[in-house]
Amino acid sequence: MPPVVRLRSAVCLLGRFPALAGVDLDVGEGEVVLVSGGNGAGKTTLLRLLAGLVPLRSGSAWVLGSDLSEDSKTHRRQLSLVGHETGCYDDLTVAENVRFAARAANVADPPEEEVLHQFGLTPLRDVVHGRLSAGQRRRLGFAIAMVRTPKLLLLDEPHAGLDAEGRAALDAMVAGSPAAGRSVVLVSHELERTRPLAAREVVLTAGQAHGALPESSRAVEGPATELREDTTQSGSRT
């Protein structure tokens, strides 16, 4: 079975700056991959490339069967990206925002009530987004991601802004992904919390990846555990 994600020598530019400078990466079906690295290493750019939101300058990128050099949009309905903004409508309620996201993704039988319960949002279902706290908005962002029933889940610092209950719900969602056949690429600085959730860790340093291919694809590199290093590269872009 082909991987859900396959990057080879992938290069992305932010202006004239090479945010990704020749990245190789495979992600299998149901695999949870942690992406770590210092500020400016290219972590957020990697997620945005996989979501088809930044162009591939050179190399190859296949995500969910789509060649991103030719079509960076078709695969988007099969994935969810959770970043720092929810993308919700302030004048819609929690339930309405979840329902809208499901319709936009053409989900035939959206698990609306399930995801509301999963993230403790059932009591808030009739509250408009504009009246939610920052933590409640974060929970709604995850509910929206899951109601789309994604095959690939992209998470950018997902634990930020969550209370203990929200973090536990997030961890359970990620931990349950392999059994559901859902692949996860997780960017985080909270390595002590996220490493136990991942099958493999990829370290980005200055736009290049280490440990990015699973054991079956590697010719020389050692196991991922040897690459769990504290990178200190810094910069203005992530």
Side-chain angles (χ1 to χ4, degrees), residues 6-189:
R6 170 159 287 181
L7 304 183
R8 292 295 182 270
S9 302
V11 174
C12 289
L13 301 181
L14 295 180
R16 303 176 72 177
F17 174 80
L20 296 179
V23 169
D24 293 342
L25 175 65
D26 281 357
V27 179
E29 181 178 335
E31 187 179 17
V32 178
V33 175
L34 169 63
V35 179
S36 63
N39 294 332
K43 302 184 299 297
T44 296
T45 300
L46 174 63
L47 294 186
R48 289 175 59 80
L49 170 64
L50 299 182
L53 299 177
V54 295
L56 180 71
R57 180 61 181 262
S58 64
S60 63
W62 290 82
V63 180
L64 295 166
S66 292
D67 182 351
L68 300 193
S69 66
E70 298 180 354
D71 179 4
S72 63
K73 296 182 179 180
T74 299
H75 74 299
R76 292 180 188 173
R77 287 184 176 177
Q78 301 181 74
L79 63 82
S80 291
L81 169 63
V82 182
H84 305 292
E85 300 294 334
T86 63
C88 292
Y89 294 94
D90 274 349
D91 57 345
L92 296 185
T93 67
V94 167
E96 288 169 341
N97 270 296
V98 169
R99 204 171 299 128
F100 179 85
R103 286 200 303 267
N106 286 335
V107 180
D109 187 19
E112 177 183 333
E113 298 302 324
E114 178 182 336
V115 299
L116 290 175
H117 174 73
Q118 183 178 8
F119 292 99
L121 294 169
T122 302
L124 301 170
R125 60 177 298 115
D126 297 320
V127 178
V128 296
H129 179 264
R131 296 184 61 185
L132 297 178
S133 69
Q136 291 166 345
R137 293 185 185 197
R138 291 286 288 165
R139 292 191 192 196
L140 179 54
F142 295 120
I144 285 173
M146 293 305 292
V147 81
R148 294 167 55 90
T149 62
K151 294 181 179 179
L152 174 62
L153 185 59
L154 308 173
L155 303 176
D156 194 356
E157 299 292 348
H159 291 91
L162 287 176
D163 58 14
E165 184 179 356
R167 285 175 164 234
L170 171 62
D171 289 351
M173 177 187 74
V174 174
S177 290
R182 181 172 54 248
S183 305
V184 181
V185 180
L186 166 63
V187 164
S188 180
H189 284 102

